Amino acid sequence: MNDDKKTFKNWFKKNKYLTITGITIIVIVIIVFFFKKEEHKQTLTFGSIGRGSITATVVATGQINPVVWAQVGAQVSGQIIRLYADFNSVVKKGQLLALIDPTPFEAQLTLAKAALLSAHASILNTRAIMALNKSIYERRLQLPHDLISQENLQTAKTNYETAVASFTAAQAALLQAQANYKIASFNLEHTRIVSPLSGVVITREVNSGQTVASSFQTPDLFDLAENLKKMESDTNVVETDIGKVKVGQRADFTVDAYPNITFTGTVAIVRNAPMVIQNVVNYDVIIYVDNKDLLLKPGMTSYVNIDVAKKNNILLIPNAAFRFTPKDPNKIITEYAKNHRLPSWVSVPREESQLKAWYRVTKVWGYKDERFIPIPVKTGIKNNNFTELVNGDIKQGDKVVTGYGTAE
């Protein structure tokens, strides 16, 4: 027994590299056989040309907002000394929401009122002086020339004209005082922040004791929604799809808060103003939706499908058929085009050969006698699963290749 082992060891030492090479070849053969076997398991999957209805949709995202809402700001600067509304408060039009400290504005109004009274008094005074100087001037004009010197007449005229100028200046001062009084009254009135509509307070941006400054822009104090039972989805539709969207079309959408609920609305407005989002031109499409259950809240993201076209009783091709391409498709098309011309409904430009037209035409693939067959088709509207077959050498029930599968 020991002699046999020694003999084997000696043989292995002498033939080590030959043995390793043989084992490697055996492993390679096994691997190739395995993959060949797996390759033979690969087969084709097919879909059938069916008949039915199809609804084409435009997919977009948007944001839920109230149909009518308003931002309430402060037109004067000052300290908020009292708040009369909070988040979710139900308010009426004209209701007081907040109060800015009116003390400095009351003082300004008092000063403006005093200036106005002074301007009225100045009017009375200058009018009286003007009337007196006018009377003196007119009396001296009526005297004979030998009873009054030219100098006295000129002095009376100058006094009258000066009185007229003073009266005109007093009128201007009165207008200025009246304007200042209106401004002071306006500022005092706008220390009271009131609601411009009846609705619900969505946000409150200020606290009691906070100072607001309206020097450069109107600060936002409250956001109000008129009616949360009527909401809209401000939807961004890309420019390639906007031509399909029309007012009155149905739109379905979901929100993350209720993924199993589909909300239904109607396209109400298609705005013309472009918006560039991540270098893509979008247009705002407003979709009105009933929110009687108050499930939708302002700011929610909506995932929208707008129904832009619908057809009934038409031939349908599975979309997977358009995604399938066999190996060496140009070779297959070249061989097939030698014996088959394109259908008459396929327009071929004069400068383009039949073969080039075969390459560019929309097609699906059939399979017969272990050969792929290119089938030109003319398509119409489509949805996520099917595409309308408008024209093509194919009929209901025919099979088209949709991909590669694996046999069991």
Side-chain angles (χ1 to χ4, degrees):
M1 188 69 172
N2 290 332
D3 292 338
D4 292 340
K5 289 183 178 180
K6 288 180 180 180
T7 302
F8 177 76
K9 288 181 179 180
N10 293 331
W11 180 87
F12 183 76
K13 286 180 180 180
K14 291 179 180 180
N15 301 278
K16 179 171 64 174
Y17 295 105
L18 180 62
T19 304
I20 294 174
T21 303
I23 294 173
T24 304
I25 293 174
I26 293 172
V27 171
I28 292 173
V29 170
I30 292 173
I31 292 173
V32 171
F33 176 78
F34 175 78
F35 279 103
K36 282 289 184 179
K37 186 176 180 182
E38 290 298 314
E39 184 178 345
H40 286 306
K41 286 184 178 181
Q42 192 177 55
T43 185
L44 296 175
T45 59
F46 295 89
S48 298
I49 304 300
R51 182 175 293 276
S53 302
I54 187 173
T55 300
T57 61
V58 167
V59 180
T61 59
Q63 186 179 61
I64 301 298
N65 288 310
V67 174
V68 179
W69 67 286
Q71 290 182 320
V72 181
Q75 292 183 268
V76 296
S77 301
Q79 185 182 50
I80 302 291
I81 61 173
R82 185 98 181 255
L83 291 174
Y84 296 91
D86 205 343
F87 292 94
N88 299 336
S89 295
V90 178
V91 296
K92 298 292 185 182
K93 184 176 181 179
Q95 179 177 328
L96 186 63
L97 302 177
L99 180 64
I100 296 175
D101 187 1
T103 303
F105 300 97
E106 290 172 345
Q108 291 173 9
L109 183 61
T110 300
L111 289 174
K113 187 175 182 179
L116 182 60
L117 291 174
S118 177
H120 277 294
S122 180
I123 284 287
L124 295 175
N125 181 52
T126 55
R127 182 185 286 121
I129 293 174
M130 182 181 65
L132 175 62
N133 282 280
K134 181 181 179 181
S135 176
I136 292 172
Y137 176 58
E138 288 177 346
R139 285 200 305 270
R140 290 184 180 182
L141 279 175
Q142 293 174 1
L143 292 174
H145 293 292
D146 56 348
L147 295 180
I148 184 171
S149 66
Q150 190 65 27
E151 182 180 354
N152 286 338
L153 183 61
Q154 186 62 39
T155 301
K157 180 181 179 181
T158 301
N159 290 339
Y160 171 62
E161 290 176 346
T162 301
V164 171
S166 297
F167 178 71
T168 302
Q171 286 179 314
L174 176 61
L175 291 175
Q176 184 177 6
Q178 289 173 335
N180 290 335
Y181 181 78
K182 286 183 179 179
I183 291 173
S185 298
F186 176 88
N187 289 339
L188 178 60
E189 180 182 352
H190 283 79
T191 59
R192 293 168 50 86
I193 310 299
V194 298
S195 173
L197 51 81
S198 296
V200 179
V201 176
I202 302 299
T203 61
R204 171 177 60 79
E205 303 291 346
V206 292
N207 296 310
S208 182
Q210 182 176 339
T211 299
V212 295
S214 61
S215 302
F216 301 102
Q217 63 180 10
T218 301
D220 185 18
L221 306 184
F222 298 91
D223 289 339
L224 306 181
E226 185 178 56
N227 184 5
L228 292 180
K229 292 185 178 181
K230 296 292 183 182
M231 303 291 277
E232 67 183 27
S233 173
D234 295 335
T235 307
N236 299 324
V237 177
V238 297
E239 60 178 324
T240 54
D241 290 333
I242 194 63
K244 307 171 189 175
V245 179
K246 301 291 185 292
V247 172
Q249 290 173 339
R250 169 180 168 144
D252 296 327
F253 65 88
T254 60
V255 295
D256 289 331
Y258 311 103
N260 297 323
I261 299 177
T262 299
F263 299 89
T264 300
T266 304
V267 175
I269 303 170
V270 179
R271 291 179 177 166
N272 294 321
M275 303 176 296
V276 179
I277 302 174
Q278 296 180 346
N279 296 325
V280 178
V281 178
N282 287 254
Y283 294 87
D284 197 9
V285 175
I286 307 300
I287 298 168
Y288 287 167
V289 58
D290 187 11
N291 190 36
K292 61 182 179 180
D293 296 327
L294 299 179
L295 296 178
L296 298 174
K297 299 184 183 301
M300 285 183 170
T301 300
S302 55
Y303 305 96
V304 184
N305 288 284
I306 303 172
D307 296 345
V308 296
K310 185 174 182 179
K311 292 186 178 181
N312 299 317
N313 194 29
I314 59 173
L315 292 177
L316 302 175
I317 305 175
N319 287 344
F322 296 98
R323 296 191 290 268
F324 172 79
T325 303
K327 297 177 182 178
D328 298 325
N330 289 346
K331 181 180 179 181
I332 298 172
I333 292 172
T334 302
E335 291 296 324
Y336 190 82
K338 291 178 181 179
N339 302 313
H340 299 81
R341 294 185 60 82
L342 283 167
S344 58
W345 50 264
V346 178
S347 59
V348 180
R350 291 183 179 179
E351 67 278 4
E352 189 176 69
S353 67
Q354 276 277 328
L355 183 58
K356 288 183 178 180
W358 264 105
Y359 291 148
R360 67 162 178 80
V361 71
T362 301
K363 64 183 75 66
V364 293
W365 296 87
Y367 192 75
K368 185 177 180 181
D369 298 330
E370 298 185 355
R371 288 176 174 269
F372 288 105
I373 302 172
I375 306 172
V377 292
K378 183 178 181 180
T379 60
I381 65 174
K382 66 179 180 179
N383 60 16
N384 293 333
N385 299 314
F386 296 98
T387 297
E388 176 193 6
L389 173 62
V390 176
N391 214 332
D393 188 15
I394 197 169
K395 61 184 183 300
Q396 183 177 350
D398 286 350
K399 301 288 186 179
V400 290
V401 183
T402 56
Y404 287 108
T406 301
E408 297 295 335

